[in-house]
Every structure is written in C-alpha cells, then in structure tokens.
Amino acid sequence: MYVSSSPTVNKHKPWIETSYHGVITENMDTVLLDPPLVALDKDAPVPYAGEICSFKIYGQDAPFEAVVLNRTSGEGVLQASSPVDCESQKEYTFIIQAYDCGAGPSGADWKKSHKAVVHIQVDDVNEFSPVFREPLYKASVTEGKIYDSILQVEAWDQDCSPQYSQICIYEIVTAGTPFAIDRNGNIRNTERLTYDKQTSYKIMVTAFDCGQKRAKEDVAVHIDVKPVCKPGWQGWNKRVDYEPGTGSRQLFPKMHLETCGGLLSGVKAMVELQTNHIGKGCDRETYSEKSLQKLCGAASSSTELLPASSPATNWTASLLTDSGRDSDLIYRFEGRQAANIPDHVVPQNLTDQFTIATWMKHGPSPGLRAEKETLLCNSDKTEMNRHHYSLYVHNCRLVFLLRRDVTQVDTFRPAEFHWKLEQICDKEWHYYVINVEFPAVTLFVDGVTYEPYLVTDDWPIQTAKIDTQLTVGACWQGGEVGTPRFTQYFRGSLSGLTIRPGRIETQKVISCLQACKEGLDINSLESLAKDIKFHFNPAQSVLVVEGEELDSINTAMTKVSYINSRQFPTSGLRRLHITTTVQCFGEDTCLSIPDIKSVVMVLPPSEPRITISGSNRLVRPGADLRGPLGVAPFKELQITSTVTKGDSFGGSRRPGVMELMHNLDYCDVLVIGDELNPERESLEIHHSALLGKHLDATNSTSGISIYGVDSMAHYEQALRQLRYRNQRPVTLSERRFRLTCSELNGRYTSNEFNLEVSVLHHSAPVEHVNHMAVQAPFMRPVHHPLMMHTLNSHMSGSAPPAATAVIVVCIAALVVIVVIGVYRIHATHQEGSKEDEDEVKETEEDWDNSALTITVNPMENLGGAQARDAEVKEEEREEEEEEEEEEQVGGMTSAESDSSDEDEEGGEEEEREKVEERKQKGKLEWDSSSITY
C-alpha cells in the first residue's frame, strides 16, 4: 500500500527534448514533429509518479494543442486546435512542457518538465489562381520596327509558398498573331508591323503559377500601330459645328503637338480665323447705318448718302446693289456708276469739324498709271470745275481733299491729306473714318488711328455764286466741258457712307460701329501656364500663342475657342489656319510642323416669326379725332416672336414652338390709299414716348417710321402712343394704315398688320331707341349692344324736352315689346348658352351706360284686354318701323362691332345679319346705379 503524502514517492521531473521542429499542411490538423513528442520520467514504473498525464502549450494565440497518447510510455501528439492558413501565417513558435501524474490518483505533488521550444512551419496548398494586376493593357508601336519589349504584363498569386505563388509561364492565347511573350511577361513583335495593313491588334494573354494552375481570367492587350512618326499637330477635327447662342466653343479639345521625341526650347503657334467672305469681312450687326449709330451712341445728325432705295431716297436706284447675305446693304461700283445727291440731303455747312465714314472694299487699279477713283466729291455744278472737298483713291493711296472758301480762311493752308496703307488695295472690307478738325485730319481704319504721311497746302477757293453738286462713285464735272458729265469713276464696293457735320466721332463709337461679333477666344485664362504668352489682333481673328514647354503649349491650344455673340449669326463656313514654328536647343529651327486647315461650320439659327396682333378696326366719335391728342390707333397692339425648334422625345423629333425675345430695328406705319392731308390730318408720336429708349422717328404724309435697335417691348410701348388726328372727321369715311416691323434691317420681317380707322356717326332717334329700353317684368333681358351704345352717345348730349313725349313713346313700346319679348325669351331659352353669355358680357363692357335714362311707362298696369287690342292693331306697323330702324343703324352696327374687337369685313347686309343673331343670343345686364325711374 502506497501513501500519497509520502515525500519519497514522486522524486523526479518529467524530461522532454529541448526543441522541436514541426510541419503542418494548411487546412489539416496533424503536426509532424521532429523529434517525436515523448516525455520520460525516472520514477517509472512507479504508478502515477512515473506516468505522463499532460502536455501544456504556452504562447500567444498558438492554434495548437498537445495530446498524451500513452501515459506509461509518455508518447504524445501535436495537432491544430483550429484551421491553419498559410496565407495568414506561415510559421508558429511556442513553449511546451510535460506534466507527470503526481503522487497518486488525486494528482497531488505533480511535477513538470523543463520548457521546450517548438517551431511549426505551415505547408502551402495551391488553392489560388494567378490574377493579372491590370484589367487591360495598352501599348503603341511605330510601324517598321522590331521591339525587344513592347510592354510587360504581370500576374500574381495569393498562395504563400514560392512554388505556388510564383508565375512560371505566360502564354499568348490568341492564335496567328505576330507577337511572342517570355516567362517574365514581356511582349515583343515577331515581324515588322505595317500601319496600312493593320492599325491595331487585340491579343489575349494567360498565366500559370509554378504549380501549373492557370489564371482564372485571361487579360486583353491592345497594341496600336502608329505610322512612321511625323512631327505635327494630332487629335484635331477638320470640322467643328457651332450652334448659335452657345457662347464660346472649344475648337481643339484633344489636340497635341507630336515632336517625335525631339527636345524643344520653344513653340509659337498662330491661329487665324478667315471670315473675309462673311458680310463686310466678318459677322457684324447688319442693322441700318442709322440704327447702328443710335445703338453705338453716335450723334443723330449724320446724313446717310447710300441708303436703301425708296421713293424718298431714289438717288441710289440706278446703282448696283450686292446685298450679299442677311440684308447687309452693299453698293458695287464698276467704273461707270455714280449718283448725284439731292441738294436737300446734302449738309450745307460742314464747319471746321465733321466726320466722313464708310465701308470700302477695293483692289489694285488697272494700268501702269491709274486714274483717280472718287468715292465722294463736292464740286461746282456748272460753269467751273472746282472740287470743294472729295475723298478718292489714287495708286493705292487714300486722299482727302478739303478746299476752304476764301471767306473762311485767306492763307495758304493744308488742303490734301495722303495715306498709304496696305488695306486700301487688299480686296478686303475695311471701315474708314475721317475726323476733320481743321486744319488737322485723322484717319481711322478698322478702329486704328493713322496720321497722313503727306499733307500738301493750297490757297482757298475764291467766292463764287455757283451751286455745288455732291456725288458718290465719281466726281461731277459741270464746267469747262461741252457736256456736263461724271469723271474719275470708282471701282470697288461701298456701304454705309455717311457725313456728320459739326462734330467728330469718338474712338469708342468708331470701335463700336466696326466691331466684329465673331472671333477667337481663350477659355480659362487663369489655368494657363506662366510661360505662355498670347496676343490677339484688334478684330480677334488672329491669335498667337508662344511657350517654352510642350505640355504648356498643348494645354493652351486646347483652350482656343470660337465665339459669335450675334443672336442670329450668319450661317456658313469659317476657315481656320494654324501655322507653327519650333526651336530646338542651340538651333534656330529644328522641325518642320505642317500647317493645319480646318473649318468652323456656323449652323443656321432658328428663324423667328414676328407677329403683330391687335384690333384691326377702330371706330371713334368725331370729337375724339378732333381732340388735341386725337386717337391712339395701336393702343391694343402686341408684338411677339416665336421660333420652332425640334425636340427629341422618346427617340422621335417633334417640333416645339418657343417664344423668343430679341430686338427690332424699325417699325413702319404706312398710309394705305390717299396720303395724309397735312392741313387737317396728322400721324405722329410725342418725343416723350421715345425717352429712355434707343429709338427715333421720322414722319411724312405717307406714314411714320420708328427706328433704332431696341427691344420688342419698347417698340410696343412706342407704337401704342402713336396719335392720329383729323380736324375734319366728317369728311373721313375710313383711313387705313399698314404696320410692319423688322429685325436686322429686313432680314426678319413681321406680318403686315392692317388697321382701319373710321368715324362713329349718330343717326338713330331717341324715341326709337327707347322702344328697346323698356321691357316687361317677366321678360328675360336681351342685350342690344350696338343700339345701346348709340343711345349712350346720343343722350349724353341732351334729354327729351318733355315728359309727355316720353309717355307716348313708352305706351307704344310696351305693346310691341310684350309681343316681341315673349318670342325672344322663348328663343333665348332654347338657344342661349354659357359661351354666348360670356361673349355678350365681354361686349357689354365696351359701352358706358352711366348716362342712360330709362323711363318706366306710368300706364304699365293697363288691363290685359287693352294690351291685346293694342297689340293686334300695332303689330304689323311696328315690325315695319323696326326694319327701317335697323336699316338706319346699319352703319353704326358695323362700327360698334368693330370697336368690340371683332373682325367683320363684309357689307352692311352681312353686318345686319350678325346684329340680329346677337340680338337673339345676348342678354343685357343692367347697372341699376345709373337708371332713373
């Protein structure tokens, strides 16, 4: 028998190896240890004390446990307590100790071995497939070259061991391609590629790890073949579409300069917008010269010498016009056209300050010694051949001649001013302004100032009582020849020739008058690099960009834009031309960059439809026409403008009508028929109606014209304040007017709005009208708008002189109305509708019953028998009187109908029928506040 408390029973500690090395395969649980896990105890074979009861592991989260297999032999096994993943941790190190069973069954007095170190290595399993690092690979090659490596593809594997994580093989899957790949993923071409044969290749590549596991997904490789590198701009479009109203549009958003690897020290690019074929050199406003001057703030005292031909300006009728496009008025002179300006048009006193302005397009003169070509000439009309002032071209020099009268100056003074400029003979449009502040004369060409290179003096002209003749296109020679004739004909084109006496034009106004509305632009100036320099010409048709860095130049060129600020620009092509020069280090020029030629296509704008609406007939009493203010014929006028645009809905295009706001430049009111008689008629507008607006007006016996570039709302306000006055309206049967409005000098015109003004005459007797004024209590009121209006007009002046007459009339009226009223109330109940009532109600509002007096028949309560007797006796006679009454008021019927804004153009017979119809449908709503009983 053993005693467990005996100190001599468990004398020795267990013994194990000092270190162990083990291997475990991931996702398995058994560890192979070297040496095996065995614990020995010298107390053996003593039970308990010589046996091994357990192994304990000490370490940070070691996912292992040790199990005793045999207590007597001390054998044990090490196994995973949870799944082991190589990709998470490849190795583990921890401490293990063995424990004996103690001195007895209770395990008391146990002993433990020394600590042993255990190293565990986790073996990998090839569980992952290779994966490429990029979803797509791209590269480009130049044709005709063999590359050692075009690009490298790369795959990787998540496995932890070198055997399974390394990529051992790359392989091109696509068959029949001129490419090969090595074990490192480098792709090369096996033959020389040709751009003309194939511009790009797409190949598929796969990868294998060293465990021969294939990539789960193959990767695509795109290889572009470039032609042999040629320096130049790339990534630009030959055509750029411009939608009107879209502001600034980038021209080359993806353009860049290819230098073929050459290192540059500087780049200079010039972008030129060619618009010479558009209008007068570019897209400008095509308003009339007067409207443009008003818009730009010029003085209103200028005289237009080349206006559009009309009855009032017929001196240009014989000239050749080249209107071009969009109503831009141009006169063409071919060396045999000229026009004499009427004396009443010519400014009589130019004083020491005046301005001459014109658009001119002129080329070199034929012949070795060209003759003078006169634009403008003021010369003697008869007897002599003196030129008082003239503007002419001679040998591509512009010359201005100014000979003062001896009464103005009596000394040798400047008389001829010469300018020699390339613009005079370049066959392009230019705007010339000559400011005269005698004796100084300044020339502006396209807003740029030029001083004369030569000034010659001359003596003043002797005073003579000879009339002068102002001529355009040549000079008039009225004296010193057998037959007066034109001479020194001009060859070229002119437009907008004006003279402004008494003052010179400012630089601001000149710039405004010749300003282009289209040009080049640069977006986001603040984003340009510091080394970028750029500048525009005054018209913004030429842009020069300079820089040192290639990337800076590329960025700057992508921001070059086209802009057209006109609401309705001239559609068509604008050509773009880009020239480029580059500098290399140590060389003046090293590469030749080809020029670029592109076009901007300005798409046609949506054409507006200008509509004038309102009442077409105006009927007013003669007193209104005779009044100090007359009448306002266009008081209800409205001007609207719409455009039709195509909108996409569900894949189909449907047109949509949109209201558009834009300017107008003139509205003309023409008198149709006989002209106004100035002794008794006038059509005019007060100056106050034009204040605060860019408008002006001229009138004559033919009508009135309001002109100036301004909004439709301002034109509407001005036209509503036009006044027509007639001192003798009795003689007026009708006066007809026709109104038309224009935008862009006739490019877009409105409908022709016709208005007829007539006089309201009073012809219906009061007694007859009172027949219709009294109704029986049971009758439904029926409205007779025209006759009520006549009553109001007639009775406003006087009332019946005696009550007796009224009583007699009312008795007769009662009898007739009883019969007619019964019939009408029946017809009204059958045919009356809400729509008819609304229409009549609107008509009722047009007449004023404030002065209406209705007298009720004092004998209204007569017996029914007496009323029936009167009805039988009077019925036939009253019906005849009613027909006669309607014939008398036929003219008034038409007038009143027109004053209620209804278009009725038929004869009196048709108008009477319409009145009868309204009598049957209408109902009168009485205002009891103005009725006297």
Side-chain angles (χ1 to χ4, degrees):
M1 181 176 180
Y2 294 98
V3 181
S4 60
S5 62
S6 174
T8 60
V9 174
N10 191 6
K11 297 180 179 180
H12 301 94
K13 298 187 295 184
W15 177 88
I16 59 176
E17 299 287 345
T18 57
S19 64
Y20 294 90
H21 294 275
V23 176
I24 184 173
T25 303
E26 63 177 339
N27 302 324
M28 303 295 286
D29 57 1
T30 302
V31 180
L32 299 178
L33 282 179
D34 182 26
L37 181 59
V38 177
L40 301 176
D41 195 318
K42 292 182 179 181
D43 292 323
V46 177
Y48 300 108
E51 297 177 351
I52 302 301
C53 273
S54 64
F55 294 97
K56 289 189 178 181
I57 295 175
Y58 301 95
Q60 294 181 351
D61 301 326
F64 298 97
E65 61 182 0
V67 180
V68 177
L69 298 178
N70 190 316
R71 294 173 60 173
T72 303
S73 64
E75 294 181 51
V77 65
L78 189 64
Q79 59 187 20
S81 60
S82 61
V84 178
D85 185 11
C86 179
E87 285 72 39
S88 299
Q89 189 167 342
K90 295 181 180 180
E91 294 180 348
Y92 295 91
T93 300
F94 51 86
I95 304 297
I96 190 170
Q97 283 182 301
Y99 290 78
D100 62 17
C101 296
S106 64
D109 197 22
W110 49 264
K111 295 186 182 293
K112 61 181 178 180
S113 69
H114 60 272
K115 296 178 180 179
V117 178
V118 181
H119 296 280
I120 305 297
Q121 178 179 340
V122 182
D123 278 354
D124 188 21
V125 175
N126 195 6
E127 56 186 326
F128 293 100
S129 300
V131 177
F132 286 94
R133 294 192 180 275
E134 301 291 340
L136 175 67
Y137 289 89
K138 292 183 178 181
S140 60
V141 297
T142 302
E143 63 177 343
K145 294 179 64 176
I146 296 293
Y147 290 83
D148 293 332
S149 177
I150 297 173
L151 78 161
Q152 183 183 27
V153 298
E154 184 180 1
W156 67 289
D157 197 308
Q158 282 185 270
D159 290 312
C160 65
S161 65
Q163 179 183 2
Y164 298 136
S165 64
Q166 289 184 353
I167 308 300
C168 285
I169 300 174
Y170 289 97
E171 186 177 301
I172 294 177
V173 179
T174 307
T177 61
F179 299 98
I181 190 169
D182 62 17
R183 59 182 300 172
N184 295 321
N186 293 303
I187 298 176
R188 59 184 177 85
N189 57 321
T190 57
E191 62 183 52
R192 300 181 187 277
L193 305 179
T194 305
Y195 178 83
D196 295 335
K197 179 180 179 181
Q198 191 166 342
T199 59
S200 64
Y201 293 86
K202 178 181 179 181
I203 59 177
M204 302 301 295
V205 176
T206 190
F208 295 86
D209 61 21
C210 294
Q212 294 301 304
K213 195 160 191 174
R214 181 173 174 167
K216 188 175 181 179
E217 292 183 0
D218 300 337
V219 71
V221 179
H222 291 178
I223 299 177
D224 294 328
V225 180
K226 290 184 177 181
V228 175
C229 183
K230 298 176 182 177
W233 292 103
Q234 297 182 1
W236 54 277
N237 296 322
K238 292 185 177 180
R239 167 173 164 162
V240 179
D241 288 344
Y242 181 82
E243 181 76 26
T246 56
S248 184
R249 169 69 190 275
Q250 283 181 272
L251 297 174
F252 317 109
K254 298 181 179 179
M255 189 169 73
H256 63 278
L257 182 61
E258 175 61 60
T259 62
C260 298
L263 297 178
L264 307 180
S265 61
V267 180
K268 179 180 179 180
M270 183 174 69
V271 185
E272 181 181 3
L273 178 68
Q274 298 175 347
T275 60
N276 298 334
H277 60 293
I278 302 296
K280 295 191 290 287
C282 68
D283 211 0
R284 294 182 169 93
E285 296 292 7
T286 55
Y287 295 116
S288 67
E289 198 64 28
K290 280 188 176 181
S291 295
L292 278 176
Q293 291 173 359
K294 187 80 174 177
L295 183 66
C296 291
S300 58
S301 58
S302 65
T303 301
E304 193 171 358
L305 301 182
L306 287 176
S309 178
S310 68
T313 57
N314 57 4
W315 67 87
T316 60
S318 62
L319 301 180
L320 297 177
T321 59
D322 183 9
S323 296
R325 305 166 65 173
D326 305 331
S327 305
D328 200 1
L329 184 59
I330 295 171
Y331 286 95
R332 189 173 72 253
F333 297 85
E334 298 178 344
R336 54 181 180 274
Q337 294 85 19
N340 283 330
I341 309 300
D343 292 340
H344 70 275
V345 177
V346 179
Q348 296 303 314
N349 185 12
L350 292 183
T351 70
D352 285 342
Q353 285 189 339
F354 61 93
T355 299
I356 299 176
T358 186
W359 286 96
M360 181 178 73
K361 180 180 180 180
H362 181 264
S365 303
L368 296 176
R369 185 173 180 81
E371 296 182 355
K372 295 179 179 180
E373 299 178 51
T374 303
L375 287 73
L376 179 69
C377 180
N378 183 267
S379 59
D380 291 331
K381 185 176 292 187
T382 58
E383 299 182 27
M384 304 179 72
N385 187 29
R386 299 175 302 173
H387 294 186
H388 297 261
Y389 63 86
S390 67
L391 180 64
Y392 62 90
V393 175
H394 188 212
N395 288 327
C396 291
R397 291 166 173 80
L398 186 67
V399 182
F400 177 64
L401 170 69
L402 180 61
R403 301 283 304 280
R404 308 313 299 258
D405 192 276
V406 71
T407 59
Q408 298 172 313
V409 61
D410 58 357
T411 60
F412 205 57
R413 301 302 297 272
E416 274 192 342
F417 305 84
H418 300 249
W419 293 270
K420 184 178 181 180
L421 304 172
E422 294 180 358
Q423 295 93 318
I424 297 172
C425 289
D426 65 358
K427 298 183 180 180
E428 304 292 346
W429 280 106
H430 299 285
Y431 189 56
Y432 298 83
V433 178
I434 294 179
N435 272 350
V436 178
E437 282 185 294
F438 192 79
V441 177
T442 304
L443 172 67
F444 293 85
V445 180
D446 298 331
V448 180
T449 306
Y450 295 93
E451 296 295 332
Y453 81 95
L454 175 64
V455 177
T456 58
D457 296 344
D458 203 346
W459 291 103
I461 295 177
Q462 295 299 320
T463 303
K465 294 183 178 180
I466 301 175
D467 293 335
T468 59
Q469 176 65 60
L470 184 61
T471 310
V472 174
C475 202
W476 179 254
Q477 188 172 359
E480 301 178 359
V481 291
T483 303
R485 59 185 175 86
F486 289 113
T487 185
Q488 299 177 5
Y489 283 99
F490 178 70
R491 292 177 175 84
S493 298
L494 298 177
S495 179
L497 177 59
T498 60
I499 295 183
R500 181 174 294 105
R503 62 177 296 174
I504 61 173
E505 209 55 271
T506 64
Q507 175 82 45
K508 181 179 179 181
V509 171
I510 294 172
S511 298
C512 175
L513 290 172
Q514 60 88 38
C516 287
K517 295 299 181 179
E518 65 178 339
L520 298 173
D521 192 17
I522 290 185
N523 289 337
S524 305
L525 291 174
E526 65 279 359
S527 64
L528 296 181
K530 294 182 179 180
D531 66 308
I532 292 296
K533 300 177 182 178
F534 67 91
H535 62 272
F536 293 93
N537 69 333
Q540 284 194 224
S541 60
V542 177
L543 167 64
V544 178
V545 181
E546 298 181 70
E548 298 175 357
E549 298 292 335
L550 184 59
D551 290 342
S552 300
I553 283 288
N554 288 336
T555 301
M557 291 300 288
T558 61
K559 298 182 181 300
V560 176
S561 306
Y562 169 81
I563 188 170
N564 194 316
S565 60
R566 293 189 67 192
Q567 188 173 10
F568 305 107
T570 303
S571 61
L573 293 175
R574 276 79 163 158
R575 292 178 176 83
L576 287 167
H577 187 202
I578 301 179
T579 56
T580 310
T581 56
V582 297
Q583 287 81 36
C584 293
F585 292 98
E587 301 179 27
D588 293 336
T589 58
C590 53
L591 296 177
S592 177
I593 307 297
D595 291 354
I596 285 181
K597 292 184 179 180
S598 179
V599 295
V600 177
M601 172 59 79
V602 178
L603 302 178
S606 298
E607 296 194 359
R609 181 179 181 182
I610 306 170
T611 304
I612 305 175
S613 59
S615 176
N616 291 94
R617 302 191 71 178
L618 179 69
V619 181
R620 288 291 182 270
D624 291 353
L625 293 172
R626 285 194 304 269
L629 296 179
V631 297
F634 300 103
K635 190 174 183 179
E636 300 175 5
L637 180 80
Q638 285 188 333
I639 304 176
T640 58
S641 181
T642 57
V643 293
T644 302
K645 286 187 175 288
D647 299 323
S648 297
F649 297 100
S652 61
R653 291 185 65 84
R654 295 189 301 175
V657 178
M658 301 170 55
E659 188 166 352
L660 185 68
M661 301 303 296
H662 59 79
N663 291 328
L664 300 175
D665 58 351
Y666 69 80
C667 285
D668 289 340
V669 180
L670 298 178
V671 178
I672 306 302
D674 296 337
E675 294 188 356
L676 298 176
N677 187 337
E679 295 182 358
R680 61 173 181 263
E681 285 183 290
S682 65
L683 179 66
E684 56 193 10
I685 185 171
H686 195 271
H687 177 69
S688 62
L690 304 178
L691 292 177
K693 306 177 179 68
H694 296 288
L695 298 178
D696 217 332
T698 58
N699 63 343
S700 66
T701 57
S702 301
I704 188 169
S705 178
I706 301 175
Y707 61 90
V709 182
D710 212 332
S711 65
M712 292 187 294
H714 279 179
Y715 267 94
E716 201 174 79
Q717 294 169 12
L719 288 167
R720 288 177 178 178
Q721 297 183 64
L722 275 179
R723 312 298 297 190
Y724 170 68
R725 192 164 177 261
N726 192 317
Q727 297 293 338
R728 297 180 60 189
V730 177
T731 63
L732 178 67
S733 59
E734 62 180 17
R735 171 60 77 187
R736 291 185 296 147
F737 301 99
R738 177 174 297 159
L739 169 64
T740 57
C741 292
S742 154
E743 164 66 337
L744 295 175
N745 202 22
R747 177 178 174 185
Y748 305 117
T749 56
S750 70
N751 59 311
E752 293 184 348
F753 178 77
N754 295 306
L755 173 69
E756 183 178 306
V757 178
S758 55
V759 181
L760 178 65
H761 300 283
H762 310 294
S763 59
V766 174
E767 292 81 358
H768 185 72
V769 175
N770 277 340
H771 281 261
M772 306 305 296
V774 182
Q775 302 186 19
F778 60 84
M779 293 180 63
R780 180 180 181 182
V782 179
H783 179 44
H784 308 289
L786 306 181
M787 302 181 71
M788 291 297 101
H789 189 89
T790 306
L791 173 65
N792 174 54
S793 301
H794 191 91
M795 294 188 66
S796 61
S798 63
T804 304
V806 175
I807 295 173
V808 173
V809 170
C810 291
I811 293 173
L814 176 63
V815 175
V816 176
I817 293 175
V818 167
V819 177
I820 298 176
V822 172
Y823 171 77
R824 287 181 177 174
I825 193 170
H826 174 73
T828 304
H829 280 297
Q830 294 295 326
E831 301 176 6
S833 63
K834 186 176 184 304
E835 180 179 353
D836 299 328
E837 292 174 2
D838 292 341
E839 179 184 6
V840 175
K841 183 177 179 180
E842 180 180 348
T843 309
E844 290 169 2
E845 296 172 355
D846 290 338
W847 62 276
D848 179 12
N849 60 5
S850 60
L852 181 64
T853 302
I854 299 179
T855 305
V856 179
N857 182 11
M859 302 180 67
E860 190 173 65
N861 296 325
L862 288 175
Q866 182 179 357
R868 285 193 297 273
D869 291 341
E871 173 187 340
V872 172
K873 292 177 182 180
E874 298 294 334
E875 177 180 3
E876 183 174 347
R877 178 175 61 83
E878 293 299 332
E879 287 179 354
E880 292 177 356
E881 289 181 3
E882 185 173 343
E883 291 177 359
E884 293 176 3
E885 171 203 9
E886 293 174 1
E887 291 178 1
Q888 289 177 344
V889 300
M892 292 182 292
T893 300
S894 175
E896 178 62 26
S897 175
D898 295 335
S899 68
S900 62
D901 294 337
E902 297 191 15
D903 294 332
E904 298 179 8
E905 306 257 341
E908 293 183 357
E909 184 67 23
E910 180 182 354
E911 293 170 337
R912 284 197 295 272
E913 291 175 3
K914 293 184 178 179
V915 171
E916 282 301 311
E917 182 180 348
R918 292 180 182 175
K919 287 181 180 179
Q920 296 298 327
K921 292 185 178 181
K923 72 174 184 178
L924 182 60
E925 297 180 358
W926 299 98
D927 182 2
S928 59
S929 63
S930 61
I931 298 179
T932 304
Y933 290 91

